[in-house]
Every structure is written in structure tokens, then in C-alpha cells.
């Protein structure tokens, strides 16, 4: 990047709306970049996206092709990460499985915080009986262990990847609602909200234009940090046979398949486990870095 | 006579994305048994000077000085363990808002006892007596009640008095007061100042009074340092404040609305770059 | 312009009810600048918040430009008549909204046209210049933020401006600039001011008349000239005046 572009971006006196917005983004990027571990997380996740995007071209073999003659082979030149009980190439299954993982994580990350944001900010902003009704509902959801509730949902709706995602989303919104409500309560009485009220701004405008932008950043951080938990819950459902159904190469289900052979053929369960571990870690690192950038309390410095 | 505190070329800098930011740029002064006022606007480095003396500048901030001596003994960048012994026992600090500097879950009495016990080693009844004495010394009428009260149960003025009692319990030689009355109403303010003044004078302590209020410092202190952009731009006896020569000091004085002199428009300050680095208008007597 | 009669404001419900203002009455004429003086907790800011509807637990009578207001709801016309500037410029601007966004939203809400042009005029009138239009609050100093807040209040072209300690969070040199700006705006636009402050000198400089408050009640009403001469009738106002003349040893 040239020196002038940099100066343009870092200018304290932006001349256009676009420059102001780009400048703010660039400042954030600089803060994020200073955190080496967060960068590592970002690189891993970009790699995951790449792998998922080009799975058919990247995977060395067909993930569904069984070859009983080659079953439970240790890692070798032919099968880099070995083969499973049906002789399928584990590497190819992991690569195709990344699509499923991303699908689950992405959908839950889109649905749960949005429900949470909506419920939490409305409850915090409206107060009174609206607050009571919404937060007691949230409490009911919080009272159940997450995985048990998800199990109940899946059991009722029937096993399958779509239902698993739905169950995870429905069970993971309450903490976001609580977070958003707490933020709203502190923002609600701020002078800038009072000032906007004095201009005649209605509740909907205050909620969407003024309160949401401040809540969203802490929610994004929280979601990134929770991603690991969501992947693990999805894997847990898969492991119990209630998530992805065979022969789908879902990582949790793959661990479940490998469980029987774990003592003699460790790689069957360990390889997908390792993949889950790395991706979870990457999301955690990314969340930490995002907190540096998005936390409004540190934002002014 | 050696001064209580001697500071030469004190500098505090913080690394930032675009090089290092110098909050304090070469401050020098001597403090005897007197009331020294340090005045400046926000960002002038006045508070940072006080924190640097107490070793309270947090990393990555860096403190350097040619000399930073307490009774002829260097206290520059002492290890935290030795600094902690010094803090409270020999130099104390009163902060702006008692709400944030008193521990909310401990009674006032216990906090004063604690600070006394830590530095004198005496505990039990002796510490309790001392605490009640101190509360009486800061003119709290009902010391027994305040002794057992929690910080949220007393008013701001009372809290600031308790804070002063706590800071003076170990009999320090120097008290650094950082805007001790800015959070208080005027009527309470004068009372707190009077108490602080009496204690400091009776005990022969040195006081560094950091404030943004030029008039107040002029009335309360013996000597005044005026800081601008991390440097001392002028130093003069407090009673000569109205005869200040530096344009910055004059500008500050003139920009205040006054009850006794109505004006149509307030004069505003035209800042000049030369103030940042020009020589000090009135150097220390005897030169440095 | 503003008439307040027997105003009571309270917070909470019995038995924890706190009466913040008790039986306050005063009248501010059109074009006048009126000061409310008192120490913390005297209820001076609470009156402004009751007038603007930010507090709805009040009784008594509030009339703005001859129109009585009730409860919490305020009409569109009210917002075009009355605006407020808050004490802390660090808390009164949304941290994620640029100056441009703040002003254009305000103008939009007030149903103004030619928004681009008006933003430029507004920035000029508070002495900021157009270079500030796309800055975020963290790129502004305290004085500049307060100028933005004043611009926001002026956007509606109000007649009555409520000033809640507009300079107490600022350095004295910046305070002088803001006070001069407020004085200029009042002269040029024929505004009416109600200014709350704990600083008697500031109120004496800015206002024609003032009321001294203590513990939620108005102790005394006097002119700025009387204040300057120290001609206070009540003991409390005299004490306050003596205290704010500064510290005297003894």
C-alpha cells in the first residue's frame, strides 16, 4: 500500500462519508493485525473456507467410496490420514465434512444472535411487563442444559442435519438475549439517547439506529467465542446419531464411528477430533482479536 | 537545606501506533515544606507528573528522569515491592473522586486502620484509636458512626475527608492531591481545603496540589507551576499569579468569567506552537 | 416563553419516593436568558428533564410558548420549539455515529429539506467548518463535541434552548469559546436560554436573571446584577456566593 493511501485512510479529518467509513475499517484492521494469535485464527478460518469451497477438487478421493480391502489403514502416502472402518479416505471425508461444519456454524451464527438481539434489546428498551414476559421466557430456556434441550428438539423433529441446526439455534439464543438486554439497559439512559428522543425519534428508530449498532459489536465477539461450543454441540449431536446421518462425513459422526476402534486404530477418531479442535481454537482466537477491535469501551483509545 | 522532593527533567512517554507520545516532557521542580500548585488544562500532563512520582505509570508507559529524589534518595523506577513501602508511608495521594478511590465493601474505619497498620506495623486497639483520631482531625463530627460506615453511606465531602484521613494516617512527608475537590460542591470544597491545609501545615508536610482551577490554586498554594503540553511554561509565587508573564497563563486567567468584573465577551486563548518548546518564562531561582 | 408553576418532580414509589423538586415556580420571558443555580442534588437539572419529557413523574404546570405540556409525550411542534444541550459532551454523542449522521438524522426527523446544505450551514454557525462533517466523536476534542451537540440542538431551529451545565466538563479556555458561541447564537437568532450551572460566575456572565435552588426548592430569584453586587436576600444564597468567591484560609 502506498504512503498516500495510508495517510488518506488514517486521516483525522475525513472529507467524505466513504473516507470516514474506510478509515474506521482500516483502524480496526490495524488493531486486529497487531494481535498475532487472532491473525492465526483468521488464517485458519480462511483456509477452512477455501477448503470447503473447493472440496470436490481438493479431496484426493471420493469420500463415499468404500474399499473394504483397505479398511483401517494407518496414515500413509496413499491415504495421508488413513482410512476408516469402511476403507474410506479420512482426509477426503474431512475435506467434504468442512462444508457441513461451516453450514452448521454459519446458520446457527446467523439465527441465534439475531433472535437474542431482538428479544434482549426489546426487553431492555421497553421495560415493564414486556421485559418480564420476554426475560422469563429466556429464563425457561436457560434452565435446561443446552444439549439436553437440543436432544429433545431433535427427538421431536426427527434426526437430520437441518433439524440439528434448528435445535442448536433455538437453544443457544438465550445468553445473547441476556447480553443484549444488559447492554441496552446501560445504553437506554445515555444522554445521546435522550438527545435523540428530544429530536422526536420514535422507539423503533432508537432501537434499530442507536441501540443495535452498539449491541451488535459485543454480540459478534460473543458469537465468535461461542463458535467452538456450537461446533462441539453439533459434533455431540452427530456423535449421538441425532445430527448428520450416515454416510454424511460430519466430523462428530466420524468420531462416533471411530470410537469402537479407538485403542487399535487411533487415527479414525483422532483425525476428525483434531480438525474440530483446530477450528474451535481458530474461532476462539478470532473472537479475542475481534474483542480488541469492536469493544466500544476500548474503541476510543 | 535539601528539598523533600527533587525532580529534574522528568519524562513520561507512551508508545503509540505513530511513534511515541510524550505526556510529560522534561518537568523539573523542587518541593520543600510548602504547598505547590500544579495547574494546567486536560492533557497538559499534570496528573501524569503526580503519577510518575508515585511510580503509578502503568506499562507500556515509560518514566525517565535525570533525577527523582525523595530526601536525597532516588525513587526513580524502583521495583514495585520497594515502591509500595514508600507509597502511603512517605508519599500519599488523594484522588479526584472518593467514590472510586475508597473500597466499596470495607468500612471507612477498617480502611484507615489498614493503611496505618501496613506502614506502622501497629495493629488492634492502637490502629483503631489512630483511625478515630484521624477522623476527628478531618473534622468529622461523629467519628464513631463514620468509622463503621461503608463508603456509599456517606456524602462526597465526607468521603473525601475520610480519604484524606486515610492518606495522612501513616504520617507521610509528601501529599499529592490530584484534583481533590473537583467532584465536590463549592461550600464543601472550601471546608475540605481548609482541613487539608491545616493538617499539612501542622505536620510540616510538602503538598503537591494538582488542579485545573487557576484561581483556586492561586488562593490556596504558596507557589504555582503552570503546565502546557507536558512542560512547565511558567513558575511563580501564588500571590503574583495575576502578574503572570506567560501568554498562556494570562490567557487562562482572562478566559474565566468573573463575578466582580462583567465583560461583554470572554477573551479566548490563541494557542501558539512556540509555547510547546520555548524557554520557561521564570526559571527556578538559582537556575538548574 | 416558559412558565413553570408549582412543579413537583419525584422518583420511585413510596416509601422510597424521593422528591427531587418541590413547588418550583418561575417564568422565563421570550428572548430572556434565565439561570438555575445550585449545588449537586438541588434539582436544577431535574427541572429541565421534566420540561423535555425525559422524566414523566411530575405534577404542576409547565407551559412552553403558551402551550401546556403533559406527562411524557411531547408533540412534534414541541421538539421544534425546545431543544437541550447536555452537560457531558463525551456522553451526549453516539459513539458510532459520525457528525454527518447525527445532523442528517436530526434534520430528517425535524422534516427539513436540503439536508446537505443545512448541515454545512449548521457546522459553520457553530464554528466547526465543513472539514468536521465526517468525523466520529473520538476524532473530536471536548469543545468540538460540545459544538456538535449545539449544532444538533440548533438543527430544529428552536426558540428555547435548555442548557444543562454546557461547559462544566470543559477546560476554562474552551469554556470561554463555548460561552461566547452561545452568546452569539442567542443574539443572532433571538433565542431564549434556560441555563443550569453550579458556577455562579458563568451564570452571571450568561444570564439576565437566575433562581437559586437548594434541596429541590427555589430559595431565591434575583437578577444577575444583584448577584454581582452580592445582594442576596437569603442566607443560603449569601453562603453560596461567599463560597464561590474562592478559598480563604482561616
Amino acid at each position: 500500500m502506498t504512503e498516500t493511501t495510508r495517510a488518506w485512510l488514517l486521516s483525522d479529518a475525513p472529507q467524505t462519508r466513504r473516507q470516514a467509513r474506510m478509515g474506521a475499517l482500516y483502524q480496526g484492521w490495524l488493531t486486529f493485525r497487531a494481535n498475532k494469535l487472532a491473525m492465526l485464527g483468521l488464517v485458519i478460518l480462511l483456509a477452512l473456507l477455501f477448503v470447503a469451497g473447493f472440496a470436490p477438487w481438493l479431496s484426493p478421493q471420493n469420500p463415499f467410496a468404500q474399499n473394504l480391502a483397505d479398511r483401517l489403514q494407518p496414515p500413509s502416502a496413499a491415504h495421508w490420514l488413513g482410512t476408516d472402518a469402511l476403507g474410506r479416505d479420512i482426509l477426503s471425508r474431512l475435506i467434504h465434512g468442512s462444508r457441513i461444519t461451516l453450514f452448521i456454524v454459519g446458520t446457527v451464527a446467523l439465527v441465534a444472535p439475531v433472535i437474542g438481539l431482538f428479544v434482549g434489546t426489546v426487553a431492555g428498551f421497553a421495560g415493564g411487563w414486556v421485559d418480564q414476559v420476554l426475560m422469563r421466557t429466556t429464563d425457561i430456556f436457560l434452565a435446561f442444559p443446552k444439549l439436553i434441550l437440543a436432544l429433545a428438539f431433535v427427538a421431536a423433529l426427527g434426526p437430520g442435519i437441518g433439524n440439528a441446526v434448528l435445535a442448536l439455534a433455538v437453544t443457544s439464543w438465550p445468553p445473547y438475549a441476556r447480553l443484549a438486554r444488559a447492554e441496552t439497559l446501560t445504553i437506554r439512559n445515555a444522554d445521546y439517547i435522550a438527545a435523540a428522543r428530544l429530536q422526536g425519534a420514535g422507539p423503533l428508530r432508537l432501537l434499530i439506529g442507536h441501540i443495535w449498532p452498539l449491541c451488535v459489536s459485543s454480540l459478534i465477539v460473543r458469537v465468535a467465542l461461542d463458535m467452538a461450543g456450537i461446533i462441539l454441540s453439533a459434533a455431540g449431536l452427530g456423535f449421538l446419531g441425532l445430527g448428520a446421518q450416515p454416510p454424511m462425513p460430519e466430523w462428530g459422526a466420524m468420531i462416533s464411528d471411530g470410537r469402537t476402534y479407538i485403542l487399535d486404530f487411533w487415527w479414525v477418531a483422532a483425525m476428525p477430533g483434531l480438525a474440530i479442535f483446530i477450528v474451535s481454537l481458530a474461532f476462539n482466537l478470532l473472537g479475542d482479536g475481534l474483542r480488541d477491535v469492536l469493544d466500544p469501551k476500548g474503541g476510543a483509545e | 537545606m535539601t528539598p523533600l522532593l527533587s525532580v529534574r527533567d522528568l519524562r513520561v512517554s507512551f508508545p503509540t501506533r505513530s511513534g511515541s507520545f510524550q505526556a510529560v516532557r522534561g518537568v523539573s521542580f523542587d518541593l520543600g515544606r510548602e504547598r505547590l500548585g500544579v495547574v494546567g488544562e486536560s492533557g497538559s500532563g499534570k496528573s501524569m507528573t503526580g503519577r510518575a512520582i508515585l511510580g503509578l505509570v502503568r506499562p507500556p508507559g515509560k518514566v525517565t528522569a535525570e533525577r527523582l529524589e525523595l530526601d536525597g534518595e532516588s525513587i526513580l523506577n524502583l521495583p514495585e515491592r520497594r515502591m509500595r513501602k514508600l507509597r502511603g508511608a512517605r508519599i500519599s495521594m488523594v484522588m479526584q473522586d472518593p467514590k472510586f478511590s475508597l473500597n466499596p465493601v470495607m468500612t471507612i474505619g477498617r480502611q484507615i486502620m489498614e493503611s496505618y497498620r501496613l506502614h506502622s506495623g501497629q495493629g488492634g486497639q492502637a490502629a483503631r484509636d489512630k483511625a478515630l483520631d484521624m477522623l476527628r482531625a478531618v473534622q468529622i463530627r461523629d467519628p464513631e458512626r463514620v468509622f463503621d460506615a461503608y463508603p456509599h453511606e456517606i456524602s462526597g465531602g465526607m468521603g473525601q475527608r475520610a480519604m484524606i484521613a486515610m492518606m495522612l494516617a501513616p504520617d507521610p512527608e509528601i501529599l499529592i492531591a490530584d484534583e481533590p475537590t473537583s467532584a465536590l460542591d463549592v461550600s464543601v470544597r472550601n471546608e475540605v481545603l481548609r482541613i487539608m491545609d491545616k493538617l499539612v501545615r501542622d505536620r510540616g508536610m510538602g503538598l503537591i496540589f494538582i488542579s485545573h482551577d487557576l484561581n483556586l490554586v492561586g488562593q490556596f498554594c504558596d507557589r504555582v507551576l503552570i503546565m502546557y503540553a507536558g512542560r512547565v511554561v511558567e513558575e511563580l509565587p501564588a500571590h503574583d499569579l495575576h502578574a503572570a508573564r506567560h501568554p498562556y497563563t494570562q490567557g487562562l486567567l482572562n478566559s474565566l468569567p468573573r463575578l466582580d468584573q462583567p465583560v461583554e465577551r470572554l477573551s479566548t486563548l490563541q494557542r501558539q506552537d512556540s509555547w510547546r518548546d520555548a524557554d520557561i518564562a521564570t526559571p527556578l531561582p538559582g537556575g538548574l | 416563553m416558559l412558565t413553570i408553576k408549582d412543579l413537583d418532580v419525584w422518583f420511585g414509589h413510596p416509601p422510597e419516593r424521593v422528591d427531587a423538586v418541590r413547588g418550583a415556580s418561575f417564568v422565563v420571558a421570550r428572548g430572556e436568558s434565565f439561570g438555575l443555580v445550585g449545588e449537586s442534588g438541588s434539582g436544577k437539572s431535574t427541572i429541565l428533564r421534566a420540561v423535555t419529557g425525559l422524566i414523566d413523574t411530575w405534577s404542576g404546570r409547565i407551559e412552553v410558548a403558551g402551550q401546556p405540556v403533559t406527562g411524557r409525550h411531547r408533540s412534534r411542534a414541541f421538539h421544534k420549539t425546545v431543544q437541550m444541550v447536555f452537560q457531558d459532551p463525551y456522553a451526549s454523542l453516539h459513539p458510532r455515529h459520525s457528525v454527518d449522521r447525527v445532523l442528517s438524522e436530526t434534520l430528517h426527523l425535524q422534516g427539513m429539506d436540503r439536508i446537505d446544505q443545512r448541515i454545512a450551514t449548521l457546522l459553520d454557525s457553530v464554528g466547526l467548518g465543513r472539514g468536521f462533517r465526517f468525523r466520529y466523536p473520538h476524532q473530536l476534542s471536548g469543545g468540538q463535541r460540545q459544538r456538535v451537540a449545539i449544532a444538533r440542538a440548533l438543527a430544529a431551529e428552536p426558540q428555547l434552548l435548555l442548557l444543562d451545565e454546557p461547559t462544566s466538563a470543559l477546560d476554562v479556555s474552551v469554556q470561554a469559546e463555548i460561552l461566547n458561541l452561545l452568546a452569539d447564537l442567542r443574539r443572532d437568532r433571538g433565542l431564549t436560554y434556560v441555563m443550569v450551572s453550579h458556577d455562579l460566575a458563568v451564570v452571571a456572565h450568561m444570564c439576565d436573571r437566575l433562581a437559586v435552588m437548594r434541596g429541590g426548592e427555589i430559595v431565591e430569584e434575583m437578577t444577575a446584577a444583584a448577584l454581582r453586587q452580592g445582594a442576596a436576600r437569603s442566607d443560603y444564597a449569601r453562603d453560596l456566593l461567599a463560597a464561590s468567591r474562592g478559598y480563604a484560609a482561616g
Side-chain angles (χ1 to χ4, degrees), chain A residues 8-301:
Chain A
W8 183 78
L9 283 168
L10 288 177
S11 163
D12 255 349
Q15 296 306 313
T16 60
R17 204 165 295 174
R18 197 172 132 256
Q19 185 185 3
R21 216 163 271 158
M22 301 295 284
L25 282 177
Y26 186 61
Q27 289 276 0
W29 167 244
L30 284 182
T31 314
F32 185 83
R33 208 177 56 178
N35 186 338
K36 294 278 179 298
L37 283 173
M39 283 302 285
L40 178 69
L42 183 67
V43 168
I44 293 176
L45 292 176
L46 287 178
L48 179 72
L49 269 177
F50 176 80
V51 166
F54 296 94
W57 295 275
L58 285 174
S59 63
Q61 294 173 27
N62 183 341
F64 304 107
Q66 304 183 6
N67 181 355
L68 290 176
D70 269 349
R71 66 196 291 264
L72 298 170
Q73 292 297 309
S76 64
H79 303 282
W80 288 4
L81 299 181
T83 59
D84 68 4
L86 296 173
R88 296 173 295 197
D89 183 47
I90 292 181
L91 177 64
S92 304
R93 287 180 69 75
L94 280 184
I95 290 174
H96 278 268
S98 65
R99 290 183 155 192
I100 301 170
T101 303
L102 272 181
F103 168 73
I104 295 173
V105 165
T107 320
V108 175
L110 278 179
V111 177
V114 171
I115 304 178
L117 178 71
F118 191 77
V119 171
T121 50
V122 168
F125 191 64
W129 65 268
V130 179
D131 186 22
Q132 288 293 329
V133 169
L134 287 176
M135 288 332 280
R136 293 302 80 79
T137 316
T138 311
D139 284 345
I140 292 172
F141 276 90
L142 276 174
F144 291 99
K146 206 162 118 184
L147 197 59
I148 304 282
L149 196 58
L151 279 177
F153 269 105
V154 177
L157 297 170
I161 195 91
N163 289 340
V165 168
L166 191 66
L168 285 173
V170 164
T171 54
S172 52
W173 66 268
Y176 301 119
R178 288 226 151 250
L179 182 72
R181 177 172 175 272
E183 294 256 330
T184 308
L185 287 181
T186 58
I187 299 167
R188 181 171 76 163
N189 294 321
D191 279 351
Y192 50 83
I193 298 294
R197 266 190 218 279
L198 293 190
Q199 307 296 347
L204 203 62
R205 174 180 290 271
L206 289 175
L207 198 65
I208 295 171
H210 295 247
I211 292 180
W212 279 12
L214 289 174
C215 289
V216 160
S217 42
S218 51
L219 279 185
I220 289 177
V221 173
R222 181 68 191 268
V223 168
L225 291 173
D226 281 357
M227 277 305 168
I230 293 170
I231 296 178
L232 293 178
S233 299
L237 287 180
F239 183 86
L240 293 172
L242 294 169
Q245 294 303 303
M248 275 178 99
E250 201 271 327
W251 293 353
M254 286 168 71
I255 297 183
S256 170
D257 290 343
R259 175 182 50 151
T260 345
Y261 318 102
I262 195 150
L263 289 179
D264 301 314
F265 311 100
W266 56 268
W267 59 89
V268 182
M271 292 307 167
L274 204 62
I276 291 173
F277 168 75
I278 291 174
V279 173
S280 307
L281 186 71
F283 270 115
N284 262 328
L285 295 176
L286 180 80
D288 250 3
L290 283 178
R291 177 157 49 199
D292 293 346
V293 179
L294 292 174
D295 193 349
K297 282 137 217 149
E301 290 305 311

Side-chain angles (χ1 to χ4, degrees), chain B residues 40-43 46 96 179 182 211-214 248 252 255-257 266 268-269 271, chain C residues 85-93 126 137 140-150 163-182 195 197-199 202:
Chain B
E41 299 189 280
S42 50
K46 56 185 193 305
Q96 178 169 353
E179 305 264 10
S182 307
S211 175
H212 68 280
D213 191 334
L214 208 55
Y248 177 64
L252 280 187
S255 60
L256 273 173
L266 297 166
T268 54
L269 198 59
R271 285 155 209 277
Chain C
V85 176
F86 294 84
Q87 170 175 7
D88 185 357
Y90 292 87
S92 70
L93 293 181
V126 296
L140 301 171
S141 70
Q144 290 166 345
R145 287 180 196 215
Q146 200 60 306
R147 284 173 193 268
V148 174
I150 293 172
L163 307 165
D164 186 2
E165 306 243 19
T167 58
S168 66
L170 305 175
D171 281 324
V172 286
S173 60
V174 183
Q175 163 170 294
E177 291 167 16
I178 297 292
L179 291 181
N180 283 341
L181 170 67
L182 287 169
M195 181 172 193
S197 179
H198 67 278
D199 190 329
V202 167

Side-chain angles (χ1 to χ4, degrees), chain B residues 1 15 17 20 26 30 55 90 94-95 101 109 112 115 120 128 132 134 140 145 156 172 190 231 259 269 272 278 286:
Chain B
M1 191 192 96
R17 212 175 272 145
S20 93
D30 284 329
R90 297 182 63 193
V94 177
M95 307 270 196
S101 40
I112 302 178
S115 93
S120 70
R128 191 187 156 81
L132 285 171
M134 285 312 302
I140 289 177
R145 186 183 69 81
N190 293 348
R231 287 173 76 246
L259 272 177
L269 198 59
Q272 257 130 50

Side-chain angles (χ1 to χ4, degrees), chain B residues 35 40-43 46 183 185-191 193-195 197 201 212 216 219-220 251-252 255-269 271, chain C residues 38-41 170-177 179-181 183-184 187 198-202 204-205 227-229 236 239-250:
Chain B
R35 293 163 299 179
E41 299 189 280
S42 50
K46 56 185 193 305
D185 284 324
V186 273
S187 54
V188 187
R189 180 188 79 183
N190 293 348
E191 214 175 315
L193 286 178
R194 222 164 283 149
I195 290 164
D197 185 31
R201 249 195 295 186
H212 68 280
L216 180 67
Q219 288 162 336
F220 180 70
L252 280 187
S255 60
L256 273 173
R258 295 182 57 158
L259 272 177
D260 48 353
Q261 289 173 359
V263 287
E264 192 54 36
R265 280 182 76 76
L266 297 166
S267 66
T268 54
L269 198 59
R271 285 155 209 277
Chain C
E39 303 196 23
S40 49
L170 305 175
D171 281 324
V172 286
S173 60
V174 183
Q175 163 170 294
E177 291 167 16
L179 291 181
N180 283 341
L181 170 67
D184 292 346
R187 190 192 57 223
H198 67 278
D199 190 329
L200 291 179
V202 167
H205 175 73
L227 178 74
R228 284 187 192 282
Q229 287 155 15
Y236 177 72
D239 289 349
L240 196 65
L241 201 54
S244 61
R245 283 201 190 282
Y247 167 81

